[in-house]
Amino acid sequence: MNAVLKNYVAGEWAAGAGISRNVNPSNTKDIIGEYAKADSAQTLQAIAAAKAAFPKWSRSTPQERFDALNRISTEILSRKDELGHLLAREEGKTLAEGIGEVARAGQIFAFFAGEALRLTGEKGASVRPGLDVEITREAVGVVGLITPWNFPIAIPAWKIAPALCFGNTVVFKPAEIVPGSAHALSEIIARSGIAAGVFNLVMGSGSVVGQTLIEHPDVAAVSFTGSVATGRRIAQACVASTPMKKFQLEMGGKNPLVVLDDADVKVAVEAAVNGAFFSTGQRCTASSRLIVTQGIHDRFVEALTERVKGLVVDDALKTGTHMGPVVDQNQLDQDISYIGIGKDEGAKLHWGGERLNRETPGFYLQPAIFTGATNAMRIAREEIFGPVASVIAARDYDEALAISNDTEFGLAAGICTASLKYASHFKRNSEAGMVMVNLPTAGVDYHVPFGGRKGSSYGAREQGAYAREFYTIVKTAYTYPG
Ligand code: NAP
Ligand code: MG
């Protein structure tokens, strides 16, 4: 076993108070590495370092920030195959998906390198004679970034890149079960030429490292992606702290894909398979509710089942694998438990849902399709976060739209139809932050806003130019030139 991989605090690599093991979900005998686990004291050191580095970094030139982010982007992109392999090995998405995610992280850093140069303010006339009014944007301060396990490099990238771009300093706490990609990314950031303390990596548990971050008065803002339950705790802690913190929460989804009678069945099936089962269904934008009108229902279910039967579930790193394992035992237990709940509620387990054995011990699960589900069932209301999709029959478009919006979530929603009228109506009336027509609910661009409504998101949007709403603070200055 190699040396324990360390935390990065105040420009130094530092051992933690404990150690966590990074297990490959495709082969639980494969230990990827041992990683430092911080305690509260080390988290406090990281916060202090970020605070000390803030005055200088927040006043650095856009060129300095461009250069650092651009270097990070270049290294990520040039190592995308190797980093994608590490990602697939620790998280269980396929190698192609892992490499794609790493490339996305590189593109995000490139985009925000440019954003550092593009930040401008406004100057206007005052309503009072002789005065000038200026509106500028400044860095917020020390930001705490807390990320989930399902996109171990892309989600950190879309928080770290804008944070640094606009002059904030960072304390980054990745999900405990996927420290590998976070550590590799942090090594690249550490080499980018930024000063000590501007960026800090604190691997460790949510209840210790995360909790310290969300309670500390010197952390000015928290950006979080994860579950609704944790998001709510974070919101409460941010409001309870003095001064209150700015916060941004991206949480769960129960995303609908509506399939209308006039849809191209092939297009609809591809959208459903990608949305429900790629990345093992472990995406906040996964389509877990397939809402299908009666004229196409049986044809769609038949074609979907045929397509899903052909999906190869195996080791994430093997050529030919379409779907890797579930991320860990906890998530597998949750998926299997929901499959049982669906059956008990009276939905028909139409295909799949069996635990699978492969050459190596791993958390393999067959993709599962429920039919005859209603939108009142728990499998249609609660986020499963696994390869489980429920087909819900609808009379017509109006009923399909109503079902699609009848959820506490509102991240993404999709519709498959050849009708411009229904597509336009759906885009207008869907209560989701992102709407897809003839496309999977998952799969987004990085230069436009990402985020949801209702129970899925809280606060400013992430990604694209909209990221500045969270990572900058507006100042209005009045001048009387005399
Ligand atoms: P999670 O359990 O909420 O954890 C997310 C992060 O919060 C982890 O780093 C976790 O640390 C940390 N955390 C836990 N307790 C905390 C506390 N008391 N204070 C501060 N931080 C704390 O979510 P997950 O299981 O990793 O990820 C799955 C969830 O993420 C799903 O619900 C999914 O929908 C959601 N998700 C949403 C989006 C989106 O953009 N909307 C994207 C991806 C995923 P540990 O690692 O120690 O648990
Ligand atoms: Mg967790």
Side-chain angles (χ1 to χ4, degrees), residues 11-28:
E12 305 283 344
W13 293 98
I19 286 169
S20 77
R21 299 179 108 198
N22 191 0
V23 178
N24 175 352
S26 300
N27 176 7
T28 53

Side-chain angles (χ1 to χ4, degrees), residues 1 239 242 481:
M1 181 69 64
V239 172
T242 305

Side-chain angles (χ1 to χ4, degrees), residues 63-361:
Q63 187 66 49
E64 281 176 69
R65 284 176 269 131
F66 172 91
D67 289 342
L69 294 173
N70 194 40
R71 259 181 234 123
I72 296 166
S73 166
T74 305
E75 184 172 344
I76 294 171
L77 291 172
S78 70
R79 292 174 55 200
K80 69 177 170 25
D81 292 350
E82 167 213 341
L83 295 172
H85 188 276
L86 170 65
L87 196 163
R89 189 174 160 211
E90 75 170 344
E91 200 270 349
K93 63 183 65 174
T94 65
L95 186 55
E97 290 171 331
I99 294 169
E101 186 184 331
V102 172
R104 172 55 56 97
Q107 291 160 339
I108 289 168
F109 274 97
F111 177 83
F112 284 106
E115 282 296 277
L117 302 174
R118 285 187 287 266
L119 186 68
T120 55
E122 295 169 56
K123 188 167 180 180
S126 169
V127 295
R128 290 173 281 166
L131 272 70
D132 283 337
V133 186
E134 284 166 283
I135 303 161
T136 52
R137 285 176 182 271
E138 296 179 357
V140 181
V142 176
V143 299
L145 306 178
I146 302 174
T147 57
W149 49 261
N150 64 332
F151 285 93
I153 199 164
I155 293 179
W158 81 51
K159 296 186 191 296
I160 296 166
L164 296 178
C165 157
F166 297 118
N168 304 281
T169 55
V170 169
V171 181
F172 167 41
K173 186 229 133 7
E176 219 190 330
I177 58 172
V178 288
S181 303
H183 190 275
L185 174 63
S186 299
E187 284 183 323
I188 294 171
I189 296 172
R191 276 197 283 275
S192 68
I194 56 171
V198 170
F199 170 83
N200 303 273
L201 167 71
V202 208
M203 297 175 288
S205 75
S207 57
V208 176
V209 175
Q211 196 68 31
T212 305
L213 274 177
I214 62 180
E215 286 175 354
H216 200 284
D218 289 338
V219 175
V222 174
S223 179
F224 165 82
T225 301
S227 62
V228 176
T230 311
R232 194 176 296 281
R233 292 181 65 145
I234 288 177
Q236 284 163 348
C238 287
V239 172
S241 90
T242 305
M244 292 185 202
K245 299 184 196 318
K246 193 171 182 180
F247 59 96
Q248 170 187 59
L249 312 171
E250 287 297 342
M251 300 169 287
K254 197 71 205 173
N255 309 293
L257 177 71
V258 169
V259 179
L260 296 187
D261 286 358
D262 68 1
D264 179 326
V265 176
K266 245 181 125 177
V267 168
V269 165
E270 285 315 304
V273 168
N274 176 322
F277 304 122
F278 285 11
S279 298
T280 321
Q282 298 172 148
R283 293 190 285 191
C284 48
T285 48
S287 342
S288 48
R289 294 186 297 144
L290 307 175
I291 303 164
V292 187
T293 50
Q294 54 195 4
I296 197 171
H297 181 278
D298 295 355
R299 268 186 302 144
F300 172 78
V301 170
E302 193 183 326
L304 174 70
T305 311
E306 280 314 303
R307 178 73 171 80
V308 170
K309 280 181 185 167
L311 291 180
V312 176
V313 181
D314 207 334
D315 190 319
L317 298 174
K318 260 194 194 165
T319 322
T321 295
H322 298 119
M323 194 180 102
V326 172
V327 74
D328 70 0
Q329 186 68 51
N330 284 341
Q331 186 61 52
L332 181 65
D333 291 346
Q334 177 167 315
D335 298 349
I336 289 171
S337 147
Y338 271 110
I339 291 168
I341 289 170
K343 288 196 261 187
D344 292 346
E345 286 177 309
K348 179 176 169 230
L349 182 58
H350 180 76
W351 198 81
E354 295 294 321
R355 181 88 164 78
L356 297 171
N357 290 316
R358 291 293 176 257
E359 251 171 64
T360 48

